[in-house]
Amino acid sequence: MARAAVLGSGSWGTAFAKVMCDADTTTTLWARRPEIAQAISQRRENADYLPGVALPATLLATTDAREALSGADFVVLAVPSQTLRDNLAAWVELIPPDATLVSLMKGVELGTLKRMSEVIVEVADVAPERVAVVSGPNLAKEIAAEQPAASVVACTDPARADAFADACMTTYFRPYTNDDVIGCEVSGAGKNVIALVCGIAEGMGFGDNTMASLMTRGLVEIARLGVALGAQARTFAGLAGMGDLVATCASPLSRNHSFGQKIGRGMSMEEILAGSHQVAEGVKSCRSILDLARKHAVDMPLTEHVERVLYEGLSPQAMVASLMARERQSEAIPH
Amino acid sequence: MARAAVLGSGSWGTAFAKVMCDADTTTTLWARRPEIAQAISQRRENADYLPGVALPATLLATTDAREALSGADFVVLAVPSQTLRDNLAAWVELIPPDATLVSLMKGVELGTLKRMSEVIVEVADVAPERVAVVSGPNLAKEIAAEQPAASVVACTDPARADAFADACMTTYFRPYTNDDVIGCEVSGAGKNVIALVCGIAEGMGFGDNTMASLMTRGLVEIARLGVALGAQARTFAGLAGMGDLVATCASPLSRNHSFGQKIGRGMSMEEILAGSHQVAEGVKSCRSILDLARKHAVDMPLTEHVERVLYEGLSPQAMVASLMARERQSEAIPH
């Protein structure tokens, strides 16, 4: 039976550890805080991140990374994106020599603009084909509730993709394999900005046409960036692209969405930030995505307009007028 | 100034005639019923199909097809899909020799399994490059309310696509051109079945992951059919594909959606049909789509399962279990 270490006990790490147990993979969840590891071992619950979800009796939990990683075939990384570099550095010596390293994380590293798999390859000093990525329409709370969902396991080594997909397939979680790691990661990083602009539109009172138009044109510009970075265009029409984007933009639970709604209703960044302790991911990543786009001479009108609304005082009304007045063009979907 | 005849005064025909007027195109709307033409001319309202929407003062309305078609550069067809053949036959002699024929209609003709543009080419006996198609996330009510939306104008003749896009571009309606008529039409025909399956999932209590997974895998199977019929795969990632599908699946106004919800809550086809006078489009077109798929040896698991639920007594629960238990595979997105 395959063995997995899931490193990071936030909501997605915990939900994914449950998925792997349910797929009959021997799974150990590493938590930074002893009280979380204890509560999982003793009460089968992670009350901070997945309250009310009964975790499998087979799920092991520990704060000892050595224990978690010992004999692991799969090392599943689920720490906050911006802490990956430091966390992974501490674990590198403990990772079994042929283990597959799997990223559940999204976004790009601030400063370096590197994707999560690039950080992994660099810090763990492993060949890129040992790194896989899981991405798709996978809101943790719904996965934990065993609602049916599909997802992508991407790895340039098809045998590793298959092995990991087998290790996480259950009656409610259906992984599809793909060899395009770059495409899956660029989708995951770009979608938050589009969720933000959908939120803005909803805050302004617009309905399903506007949302769907923004999602579609948003995905086209993300795909354009992805292709410039080496991705396959078709990945963006898949579960890690369209699937994740649609789930994120539709979910009222998404912080990007609710942040955008407040902007659309006329609140300023400062007013919103004064009233909340967490910044939406799209607010943070917007400028990194634009930096990447400019570096590769890719046109991303929606992302650019969001940046102007957030940081340059453009009103949501002026944003809409400016977007709609752009010169007419062909769809020009990358392929 | 360009002249357009919009033939058909249902909600989409009427809303689109408003768009064309707002784009400064001289537009005449043909209505079958005199009271509708009169009410538009006198009160600027189509109370049956777009109640409360103030139509432009420049919009002309008539029941005389000869008057509507005289001097038209664009002949915009917006009659019910299954009546197109008969309606168009009566108008053929009145269509100006170089006019572009534009289809606003979706679905395939029952019996022949022909797309709307194929019916137009056949009945009007025109070259395929004279036929254009408009498709996208365009719920008529929201367009009539001037909410921002994007759409596709597809024509194999790029000059005609450009000319028609210019004739319908406004501050709230943004057409993108595309040369893939087949892709736009197959998307529009296939989406209703996917909206039905999303409704079923919602009726069963599932949330955003499930919806987004179904939409994405649904679009993959529609794209597969499209490519077999000669479409370009990338069109399905665009506004007529993903855009229209997302708007249709998200809209609580959609009949496919609400029909599906009732099925998902355990009602039978007979019970639902007994309580309503209109059948959802996806219920009617499901078998036509499957016939096309079988003819071209295309695998469409979602459409097949919907057919089994609707017509063969498969329970929604058994449908979900069967779909999730299919052999694991790669994403295999057509490209």
Side-chain angles (χ1 to χ4, degrees):
Chain A
M1 202 154 71
R3 296 179 74 89
V6 177
L7 302 161
S9 61
S11 52
W12 187 212
T14 306
F16 200 80
K18 169 173 155 46
V19 170
M20 296 202 79
C21 287
D22 290 343
D24 288 332
T25 299
T26 303
T27 305
T28 306
L29 180 62
W30 173 88
R32 188 174 49 82
R33 290 158 51 195
E35 61 272 27
I36 290 188
Q38 255 170 34
I40 292 172
S41 298
Q42 290 165 8
R43 296 198 309 274
R44 304 278 130 216
E45 191 187 4
N46 182 345
D48 281 17
Y49 292 102
L50 279 181
V53 174
L55 298 171
T58 50
L59 177 61
L60 307 168
T62 181
T63 55
D64 181 351
R66 182 178 304 271
E67 185 189 331
L69 288 163
S70 167
D73 303 293
F74 306 112
V75 175
V76 182
L77 296 155
V79 295
S81 308
Q82 304 306 328
T83 73
L84 171 63
R85 184 174 291 272
D86 290 345
N87 270 313
L88 185 54
W91 297 328
V92 168
E93 299 302 321
L94 309 172
I95 296 173
D98 191 48
T100 300
L101 286 80
V102 183
S103 167
L104 298 189
M105 301 161 296
K106 285 173 184 172
V108 293
E109 192 178 42
L110 298 177
T112 67
L113 302 183
K114 290 191 172 164
R115 293 175 280 106
M116 294 296 109
S117 72
E118 291 180 297
V119 175
I120 294 172
V121 165
E122 188 180 310
V123 175
D125 192 20
V126 294
E129 56 267 28
R130 272 184 63 194
V131 180
V133 162
V134 176
S135 190
N138 299 153
L139 303 162
K141 215 175 133 180
E142 295 183 5
I143 300 285
E146 303 188 6
Q147 295 195 5
S151 192
V152 176
V153 170
C155 185
T156 54
D157 176 348
R160 285 185 192 266
D162 278 330
F164 189 71
D166 284 338
C168 66
M169 178 156 168
T170 73
T171 55
Y172 59 89
F173 188 80
R174 181 169 169 79
Y176 288 79
T177 51
N178 184 324
D179 61 4
D180 183 14
V181 170
I182 302 176
C184 290
E185 289 192 304
V186 174
S187 296
K191 64 156 188 176
N192 291 316
V193 180
I194 305 306
L196 206 54
V197 75
C198 283
I200 295 175
E202 200 176 317
M204 296 175 75
F206 299 134
D208 294 316
N209 287 350
T210 311
M211 285 326 138
S213 299
L214 289 170
M215 287 185 218
T216 308
R217 292 306 301 173
L219 193 59
V220 170
E221 70 180 49
I222 297 171
R224 226 183 264 147
L225 175 63
V227 169
L229 295 171
Q232 296 159 18
R234 63 176 179 271
T235 299
F236 298 87
L239 293 158
M242 169 182 166
D244 189 13
L245 180 75
V246 167
T248 303
C249 292
S251 173
L253 308 171
S254 152
R255 265 197 295 277
N256 293 298
H257 195 97
S258 52
F259 193 101
Q261 274 186 316
K262 287 174 189 158
I263 295 273
R265 291 190 192 122
M267 285 174 77
S268 70
M269 270 268 271
E270 294 70 32
E271 288 172 305
I272 302 170
L273 294 178
S276 93
H277 52 291
Q278 274 183 310
V279 181
E281 188 58 37
V283 176
K284 285 187 285 186
S285 58
C286 181
R287 287 186 148 165
S288 303
I289 306 280
L290 268 189
D291 285 346
L292 266 179
R294 284 175 185 145
K295 201 168 138 187
H296 295 270
V298 173
D299 187 27
M300 299 188 78
L302 289 177
T303 307
E304 268 171 37
H305 276 80
V306 170
E307 200 268 347
R308 290 172 57 194
V309 168
L310 294 179
Y311 297 105
E312 293 171 29
L314 185 73
S315 74
Q317 288 71 21
M319 173 187 83
V320 171
S322 165
L323 284 167
M324 295 301 284
R326 298 177 76 231
E327 200 179 339
R328 200 176 56 60
Q329 55 189 274
S330 77
E331 274 202 293
I333 300 159
H335 64 288
Chain B
M1 204 153 72
R3 296 180 73 90
V6 177
L7 302 161
S9 61
S11 53
W12 187 212
T14 305
F16 201 80
K18 169 173 154 47
V19 170
M20 297 203 79
C21 287
D22 291 342
D24 288 332
T25 299
T26 304
T27 306
T28 306
L29 180 62
W30 174 87
R32 189 174 49 82
R33 289 157 54 195
E35 60 273 27
I36 290 188
Q38 256 169 33
I40 292 172
S41 299
Q42 291 165 7
R43 296 199 309 275
R44 305 276 130 216
E45 191 187 4
N46 183 344
D48 281 17
Y49 291 101
L50 278 181
V53 174
L55 298 170
T58 50
L59 178 61
L60 307 167
T62 180
T63 55
D64 180 351
R66 181 179 303 272
E67 184 188 331
L69 287 163
S70 166
D73 303 293
F74 306 111
V75 175
V76 181
L77 296 155
V79 295
S81 308
Q82 304 306 328
T83 72
L84 171 63
R85 185 175 291 273
D86 290 345
N87 271 313
L88 186 55
W91 297 328
V92 167
E93 300 301 321
L94 310 171
I95 295 174
D98 191 47
T100 300
L101 287 80
V102 183
S103 167
L104 299 189
M105 300 161 297
K106 287 174 183 172
V108 292
E109 191 178 43
L110 298 177
T112 68
L113 301 184
K114 289 192 174 165
R115 294 175 281 106
M116 295 296 110
S117 72
E118 291 180 297
V119 175
I120 294 171
V121 165
E122 188 179 310
V123 175
D125 193 20
V126 294
E129 55 268 29
R130 271 184 64 193
V131 180
V133 163
V134 176
S135 190
N138 299 153
L139 304 162
K141 215 176 132 180
E142 295 183 5
I143 299 285
E146 303 189 5
Q147 296 195 3
S151 192
V152 175
V153 170
C155 185
T156 54
D157 176 349
R160 285 186 192 266
D162 278 328
F164 189 71
D166 285 337
C168 65
M169 177 156 169
T170 73
T171 54
Y172 60 89
F173 189 79
R174 182 170 169 78
Y176 288 78
T177 52
N178 185 324
D179 61 3
D180 183 14
V181 170
I182 301 175
C184 289
E185 288 191 305
V186 174
S187 296
K191 65 158 188 174
N192 291 317
V193 181
I194 305 305
L196 207 53
V197 75
C198 283
I200 295 175
E202 200 176 316
M204 295 174 76
F206 298 135
D208 294 314
N209 287 349
T210 311
M211 286 323 140
S213 300
L214 290 169
M215 287 185 217
T216 308
R217 293 306 301 174
L219 193 58
V220 170
E221 71 180 49
I222 297 171
R224 224 182 266 147
L225 176 63
V227 168
L229 295 171
Q232 296 158 18
R234 62 177 179 270
T235 299
F236 298 87
L239 293 158
M242 169 184 165
D244 189 13
L245 180 75
V246 168
T248 304
C249 292
S251 173
L253 308 171
S254 151
R255 265 198 294 277
N256 293 299
H257 195 98
S258 53
F259 193 101
Q261 274 185 315
K262 287 172 189 159
I263 296 273
R265 291 191 193 120
M267 285 173 78
S268 70
M269 271 268 271
E270 294 69 32
E271 288 172 305
I272 303 170
L273 294 177
S276 92
H277 52 292
Q278 274 183 309
V279 181
E281 187 58 37
V283 176
K284 285 186 284 185
S285 57
C286 180
R287 287 186 148 165
S288 303
I289 305 281
L290 268 190
D291 284 347
L292 267 179
R294 283 174 186 147
K295 202 168 139 188
H296 295 270
V298 173
D299 187 27
M300 298 187 78
L302 290 177
T303 307
E304 267 171 39
H305 276 80
V306 170
E307 200 267 348
R308 289 172 58 194
V309 168
L310 294 178
Y311 298 104
E312 292 171 30
L314 185 72
S315 74
Q317 288 71 19
M319 172 186 84
V320 171
S322 166
L323 284 168
M324 295 300 284
R326 297 179 76 230
E327 201 180 338
R328 202 177 53 63
Q329 55 189 271
S330 77
E331 273 201 294
I333 300 159
H335 62 288

mmCIF file of all heavy atoms in Angstrom, chain A residues 104-129:
data_model
loop_
_atom_site.group_PDB
_atom_site.id
_atom_site.type_symbol
_atom_site.label_atom_id
_atom_site.label_comp_id
_atom_site.label_asym_id
_atom_site.label_seq_id
_atom_site.Cartn_x
_atom_site.Cartn_y
_atom_site.Cartn_z
ATOM 1 N N LEU A 104 0.020 21.175 -3.543
ATOM 2 C CA LEU A 104 -1.402 21.546 -3.489
ATOM 3 C C LEU A 104 -1.542 23.072 -3.470
ATOM 4 O O LEU A 104 -2.636 23.595 -3.300
ATOM 5 C CB LEU A 104 -2.058 21.005 -2.215
ATOM 6 C CG LEU A 104 -2.114 19.501 -1.972
ATOM 7 C CD1 LEU A 104 -3.008 19.218 -0.765
ATOM 8 C CD2 LEU A 104 -2.649 18.768 -3.195
ATOM 9 N N MET A 105 -0.422 23.769 -3.620
ATOM 10 C CA MET A 105 -0.413 25.216 -3.408
ATOM 11 C C MET A 105 -0.619 25.991 -4.701
ATOM 12 O O MET A 105 -0.330 25.511 -5.780
ATOM 13 C CB MET A 105 0.924 25.593 -2.772
ATOM 14 C CG MET A 105 1.139 24.872 -1.444
ATOM 15 S SD MET A 105 2.866 24.836 -0.950
ATOM 16 C CE MET A 105 3.568 23.854 -2.280
ATOM 17 N N LYS A 106 -1.116 27.213 -4.559
ATOM 18 C CA LYS A 106 -1.365 28.051 -5.732
ATOM 19 C C LYS A 106 -0.683 29.394 -5.564
ATOM 20 O O LYS A 106 -0.331 29.788 -4.464
ATOM 21 C CB LYS A 106 -2.861 28.212 -5.952
ATOM 22 C CG LYS A 106 -3.454 26.932 -6.526
ATOM 23 C CD LYS A 106 -4.950 26.919 -6.619
ATOM 24 C CE LYS A 106 -5.386 25.527 -7.111
ATOM 25 N NZ LYS A 106 -6.835 25.353 -7.061
ATOM 26 N N GLY A 107 -0.512 30.098 -6.652
ATOM 27 C CA GLY A 107 0.093 31.421 -6.590
ATOM 28 C C GLY A 107 1.555 31.383 -6.992
ATOM 29 O O GLY A 107 2.116 30.316 -7.250
ATOM 30 N N VAL A 108 2.151 32.546 -7.095
ATOM 31 C CA VAL A 108 3.574 32.636 -7.421
ATOM 32 C C VAL A 108 4.298 33.238 -6.228
ATOM 33 O O VAL A 108 3.707 33.974 -5.439
ATOM 34 C CB VAL A 108 3.834 33.504 -8.683
ATOM 35 C CG1 VAL A 108 3.278 32.824 -9.914
ATOM 36 C CG2 VAL A 108 3.258 34.896 -8.523
ATOM 37 N N GLU A 109 5.571 32.901 -6.102
ATOM 38 C CA GLU A 109 6.360 33.434 -4.992
ATOM 39 C C GLU A 109 6.619 34.925 -5.227
ATOM 40 O O GLU A 109 7.102 35.315 -6.289
ATOM 41 C CB GLU A 109 7.685 32.667 -4.892
ATOM 42 C CG GLU A 109 8.444 32.957 -3.603
ATOM 43 C CD GLU A 109 9.740 32.144 -3.508
ATOM 44 O OE1 GLU A 109 10.462 32.014 -4.526
ATOM 45 O OE2 GLU A 109 10.030 31.647 -2.408
ATOM 46 N N LEU A 110 6.264 35.729 -4.246
ATOM 47 C CA LEU A 110 6.503 37.168 -4.377
ATOM 48 C C LEU A 110 8.005 37.410 -4.502
ATOM 49 O O LEU A 110 8.816 36.727 -3.896
ATOM 50 C CB LEU A 110 5.946 37.910 -3.154
ATOM 51 C CG LEU A 110 4.425 37.787 -2.948
ATOM 52 C CD1 LEU A 110 3.988 38.495 -1.664
ATOM 53 C CD2 LEU A 110 3.656 38.358 -4.134
ATOM 54 N N GLY A 111 8.361 38.383 -5.309
ATOM 55 C CA GLY A 111 9.783 38.687 -5.483
ATOM 56 C C GLY A 111 10.390 37.897 -6.630
ATOM 57 O O GLY A 111 10.755 38.460 -7.664
ATOM 58 N N THR A 112 10.434 36.557 -6.494
ATOM 59 C CA THR A 112 11.050 35.739 -7.557
ATOM 60 C C THR A 112 10.103 35.494 -8.725
ATOM 61 O O THR A 112 10.542 35.136 -9.815
ATOM 62 C CB THR A 112 11.458 34.354 -7.035
ATOM 63 O OG1 THR A 112 10.262 33.625 -6.711
ATOM 64 C CG2 THR A 112 12.322 34.462 -5.781
ATOM 65 N N LEU A 113 8.786 35.634 -8.493
ATOM 66 C CA LEU A 113 7.748 35.327 -9.487
ATOM 67 C C LEU A 113 7.780 33.854 -9.918
ATOM 68 O O LEU A 113 7.303 33.501 -10.994
ATOM 69 C CB LEU A 113 7.855 36.224 -10.725
ATOM 70 C CG LEU A 113 7.767 37.750 -10.492
ATOM 71 C CD1 LEU A 113 7.811 38.486 -11.826
ATOM 72 C CD2 LEU A 113 6.484 38.130 -9.743
ATOM 73 N N LYS A 114 8.338 32.998 -9.070
ATOM 74 C CA LYS A 114 8.390 31.576 -9.425
ATOM 75 C C LYS A 114 7.112 30.844 -9.055
ATOM 76 O O LYS A 114 6.469 31.153 -8.053
ATOM 77 C CB LYS A 114 9.593 30.922 -8.743
ATOM 78 C CG LYS A 114 10.892 31.416 -9.357
ATOM 79 C CD LYS A 114 12.105 30.619 -8.927
ATOM 80 C CE LYS A 114 13.289 31.104 -9.780
ATOM 81 N NZ LYS A 114 14.577 30.717 -9.248
ATOM 82 N N ARG A 115 6.773 29.858 -9.885
ATOM 83 C CA ARG A 115 5.649 28.981 -9.574
ATOM 84 C C ARG A 115 6.062 28.034 -8.448
ATOM 85 O O ARG A 115 7.250 27.818 -8.208
ATOM 86 C CB ARG A 115 5.265 28.178 -10.818
ATOM 87 C CG ARG A 115 4.688 29.039 -11.955
ATOM 88 C CD ARG A 115 4.432 28.200 -13.206
ATOM 89 N NE ARG A 115 5.650 27.969 -13.971
ATOM 90 C CZ ARG A 115 6.305 26.833 -14.035
ATOM 91 N NH1 ARG A 115 5.856 25.752 -13.410
ATOM 92 N NH2 ARG A 115 7.416 26.724 -14.745
ATOM 93 N N MET A 116 5.080 27.457 -7.778
ATOM 94 C CA MET A 116 5.371 26.596 -6.634
ATOM 95 C C MET A 116 6.253 25.404 -7.022
ATOM 96 O O MET A 116 7.163 25.042 -6.283
ATOM 97 C CB MET A 116 4.062 26.094 -5.996
ATOM 98 C CG MET A 116 3.218 27.199 -5.365
ATOM 99 S SD MET A 116 4.036 28.019 -3.949
ATOM 100 C CE MET A 116 4.409 29.624 -4.636
ATOM 101 N N SER A 117 5.999 24.800 -8.195
ATOM 102 C CA SER A 117 6.817 23.642 -8.581
ATOM 103 C C SER A 117 8.256 24.064 -8.861
ATOM 104 O O SER A 117 9.191 23.298 -8.646
ATOM 105 C CB SER A 117 6.212 22.930 -9.798
ATOM 106 O OG SER A 117 6.389 23.703 -10.965
ATOM 107 N N GLU A 118 8.430 25.285 -9.323
ATOM 108 C CA GLU A 118 9.796 25.784 -9.551
ATOM 109 C C GLU A 118 10.536 25.953 -8.231
ATOM 110 O O GLU A 118 11.725 25.650 -8.111
ATOM 111 C CB GLU A 118 9.761 27.119 -10.296
ATOM 112 C CG GLU A 118 9.281 27.024 -11.731
ATOM 113 C CD GLU A 118 9.262 28.386 -12.425
ATOM 114 O OE1 GLU A 118 8.505 29.289 -11.981
ATOM 115 O OE2 GLU A 118 9.995 28.552 -13.422
ATOM 116 N N VAL A 119 9.811 26.448 -7.220
ATOM 117 C CA VAL A 119 10.421 26.597 -5.895
ATOM 118 C C VAL A 119 10.808 25.218 -5.359
ATOM 119 O O VAL A 119 11.896 25.028 -4.803
ATOM 120 C CB VAL A 119 9.456 27.321 -4.932
ATOM 121 C CG1 VAL A 119 10.042 27.370 -3.517
ATOM 122 C CG2 VAL A 119 9.127 28.723 -5.430
ATOM 123 N N ILE A 120 9.932 24.237 -5.568
ATOM 124 C CA ILE A 120 10.201 22.881 -5.076
ATOM 125 C C ILE A 120 11.451 22.296 -5.740
ATOM 126 O O ILE A 120 12.346 21.769 -5.076
ATOM 127 C CB ILE A 120 8.974 21.959 -5.310
ATOM 128 C CG1 ILE A 120 7.792 22.435 -4.457
ATOM 129 C CG2 ILE A 120 9.321 20.499 -4.993
ATOM 130 C CD1 ILE A 120 6.477 21.729 -4.750
ATOM 131 N N VAL A 121 11.505 22.401 -7.073
ATOM 132 C CA VAL A 121 12.657 21.870 -7.806
ATOM 133 C C VAL A 121 13.945 22.518 -7.301
ATOM 134 O O VAL A 121 14.959 21.850 -7.087
ATOM 135 C CB VAL A 121 12.480 22.101 -9.333
ATOM 136 C CG1 VAL A 121 13.792 21.901 -10.087
ATOM 137 C CG2 VAL A 121 11.395 21.182 -9.879
ATOM 138 N N GLU A 122 13.861 23.824 -7.074
ATOM 139 C CA GLU A 122 15.057 24.570 -6.655
ATOM 140 C C GLU A 122 15.484 24.209 -5.224
ATOM 141 O O GLU A 122 16.641 23.872 -4.973
ATOM 142 C CB GLU A 122 14.731 26.064 -6.758
ATOM 143 C CG GLU A 122 15.916 26.976 -6.552
ATOM 144 C CD GLU A 122 15.488 28.443 -6.678
ATOM 145 O OE1 GLU A 122 14.819 28.779 -7.684
ATOM 146 O OE2 GLU A 122 15.792 29.234 -5.759
ATOM 147 N N VAL A 123 14.519 24.240 -4.315
ATOM 148 C CA VAL A 123 14.868 24.043 -2.898
ATOM 149 C C VAL A 123 15.189 22.580 -2.602
ATOM 150 O O VAL A 123 16.138 22.272 -1.885
ATOM 151 C CB VAL A 123 13.733 24.547 -1.980
ATOM 152 C CG1 VAL A 123 14.047 24.234 -0.516
ATOM 153 C CG2 VAL A 123 13.509 26.036 -2.180
ATOM 154 N N ALA A 124 14.399 21.658 -3.159
ATOM 155 C CA ALA A 124 14.630 20.235 -2.872
ATOM 156 C C ALA A 124 15.702 19.648 -3.788
ATOM 157 O O ALA A 124 16.136 18.520 -3.584
ATOM 158 C CB ALA A 124 13.334 19.453 -3.010
ATOM 159 N N ASP A 125 16.082 20.428 -4.803
ATOM 160 C CA ASP A 125 17.100 19.994 -5.760
ATOM 161 C C ASP A 125 16.739 18.634 -6.375
ATOM 162 O O ASP A 125 17.518 17.684 -6.335
ATOM 163 C CB ASP A 125 18.469 19.933 -5.057
ATOM 164 C CG ASP A 125 19.612 19.786 -6.066
ATOM 165 O OD1 ASP A 125 19.403 20.114 -7.252
ATOM 166 O OD2 ASP A 125 20.697 19.321 -5.665
ATOM 167 N N VAL A 126 15.516 18.558 -6.895
ATOM 168 C CA VAL A 126 15.043 17.325 -7.531
ATOM 169 C C VAL A 126 14.790 17.584 -9.012
ATOM 170 O O VAL A 126 14.653 18.740 -9.438
ATOM 171 C CB VAL A 126 13.726 16.802 -6.893
ATOM 172 C CG1 VAL A 126 13.957 16.371 -5.446
ATOM 173 C CG2 VAL A 126 12.625 17.843 -6.983
ATOM 174 N N ALA A 127 14.725 16.528 -9.802
ATOM 175 C CA ALA A 127 14.397 16.671 -11.221
ATOM 176 C C ALA A 127 12.932 17.103 -11.346
ATOM 177 O O ALA A 127 12.086 16.653 -10.571
ATOM 178 C CB ALA A 127 14.610 15.342 -11.940
ATOM 179 N N PRO A 128 12.611 17.965 -12.319
ATOM 180 C CA PRO A 128 11.228 18.453 -12.480
ATOM 181 C C PRO A 128 10.214 17.317 -12.623
ATOM 182 O O PRO A 128 9.072 17.447 -12.190
ATOM 183 C CB PRO A 128 11.294 19.292 -13.752
ATOM 184 C CG PRO A 128 12.722 19.710 -13.872
ATOM 185 C CD PRO A 128 13.537 18.600 -13.271
ATOM 186 N N GLU A 129 10.623 16.191 -13.208
ATOM 187 C CA GLU A 129 9.652 15.103 -13.402
ATOM 188 C C GLU A 129 9.288 14.399 -12.099
ATOM 189 O O GLU A 129 8.386 13.548 -12.089
ATOM 190 C CB GLU A 129 10.136 14.101 -14.466
ATOM 191 C CG GLU A 129 11.486 13.480 -14.213
ATOM 192 C CD GLU A 129 12.613 14.267 -14.887
ATOM 193 O OE1 GLU A 129 12.482 15.491 -15.079
ATOM 194 O OE2 GLU A 129 13.647 13.639 -15.202
#
